[in-house]
Amino acid sequence: MTKIEKKYQTAINDLIIYLKNSKFLTDERVESALHHIPRHEFVPESELEYAYNNEPLPIMKNQTISQPGVVTRMTEWLDVKDGQKILEVGTGSGWQSAILSYLVGSGSIYSIERHPELVKFAQENLKKLNIDNVHVILGDGSIGYPKESPYDRIIITAACSEIPLPVLDQLKENGLILAPVGDSSQSLVLLQKTSKGIVEIKNQSKYVFVPLHGKFGKK
Ligand code: SAM
């Protein structure tokens, strides 16, 4: 773990207290990930002073690093286990990938991003923390990443009108997939692939994400 400056340590602790009080953070492993994966390493310099506010922040190409409370909730719903292989669609800053990488331990993350500038930004951010189990790939995540499929978990971090079928196909049996689904506002939808078909595990409304583009993204 890199040594974290005292001013950031205090801000991380304050954010964690806020997230716990507002029930966006309930899992001790995810709390530990927040300590080990400092968000200020994933925001542009101009946004550093806001890194521990519970709000999305601009990164580049009109995209955002997601709000901490949304990242902790999505991470908890995904119920990640050691050794798993995870597909993330929408790398952005790489912060969500880094948190997942901490939780999978010996496992690995394949994260797809459509903007080359963000692929580079995320790779640089991950390198600062010596994270080597996240593979950031330039491409259209709306078709998934069949080369490394099937995945134990899939997380889509951009708004889709419906979960793209090619991505769903790349999920293992008993695997979980989580995505924000909807148009002007989205519901976080958690599905499980079972031997009998797809089962909805959780659904919660009133989230707002940037859109998923690409072949199976927003028209
Ligand atoms: N999880 C990110 C983080 O921790 O910073 C935030 C992701 S941001 C809300 C959504 C990302 O999805 C953006 O970086 C955007 O460029 C990307 N995106 C949108 N459509 C995509 C597609 N078809 N393929 C890959 N990435 C896509």
Side-chain angles (χ1 to χ4, degrees):
M1 186 180 168
T2 49
K3 193 157 168 16
I4 298 173
E5 279 175 66
K6 200 167 171 216
K7 65 171 177 177
Y8 289 126
Q9 197 56 73
T10 308
I12 294 171
N13 292 340
D14 289 348
L15 175 65
I16 287 175
I17 291 169
Y18 170 78
L19 294 176
K20 284 169 104 169
N21 286 340
S22 52
K23 307 275 181 264
F24 278 98
L25 177 61
T26 60
D27 181 327
E28 281 178 10
R29 289 180 68 228
V30 179
E31 180 176 341
S32 170
L34 286 190
H35 283 292
H36 282 81
I37 313 291
R39 190 177 188 238
H40 67 269
E41 301 286 8
F42 293 83
V43 303
E45 224 175 304
S46 57
E47 304 299 324
L48 274 177
E49 64 180 297
Y50 312 111
Y52 293 101
N53 291 358
N54 187 33
E55 59 186 15
L57 296 173
I59 39 180
M60 54 186 79
K61 306 303 288 182
N62 274 332
Q63 302 303 317
T64 53
I65 176 171
S66 302
Q67 192 177 338
V70 173
V71 170
T72 52
R73 175 153 296 156
M74 289 181 85
T75 306
E76 289 192 1
W77 280 22
L78 214 53
D79 191 24
V80 171
K81 310 269 192 263
D82 187 51
Q84 288 186 328
K85 190 195 269 193
I86 301 186
L87 172 67
E88 179 186 37
V89 176
T91 319
S93 67
W95 189 49
Q96 172 78 77
S97 330
I99 288 176
L100 294 172
S101 95
Y102 175 81
L103 294 171
V104 294
S106 60
S108 45
I109 316 298
Y110 291 85
S111 185
I112 319 292
E113 172 56 55
R114 68 192 279 263
H115 290 295
E117 295 86 345
L118 286 173
V119 169
K120 186 165 174 276
F121 181 59
Q123 283 171 334
E124 286 168 358
N125 295 337
L126 292 160
K127 202 169 167 196
K128 285 188 276 182
L129 299 185
N130 297 317
I131 292 172
D132 58 8
N133 61 344
V134 177
H135 309 275
V136 182
I137 295 136
L138 176 66
D140 177 7
S142 77
I143 57 171
Y145 190 58
K147 202 172 149 198
E148 287 291 335
S149 68
Y151 301 96
D152 299 290
R153 301 284 186 265
I154 299 179
I155 177 170
I156 302 179
T157 66
C160 33
S161 312
E162 51 191 58
I163 295 181
L165 278 180
V167 178
L168 199 52
D169 280 346
Q170 292 166 34
L171 186 63
K172 271 189 197 166
E173 192 170 310
N174 295 321
L176 296 171
I177 181 166
L178 175 59
V181 181
D183 293 319
S184 53
S185 101
Q186 297 89 44
S187 295
L188 272 187
V189 177
L190 180 71
L191 306 176
Q192 184 168 35
K193 187 184 263 186
T194 73
S195 55
K196 297 195 176 96
I198 303 293
V199 177
E200 185 175 280
I201 308 288
K202 285 180 196 266
N203 185 323
Q204 192 174 60
S205 61
K206 299 203 176 96
Y207 289 86
V208 180
F209 283 75
V210 294
L212 178 77
H213 294 280
K215 189 170 175 194
F216 295 93
K218 294 225 162 189
K219 300 294 169 242

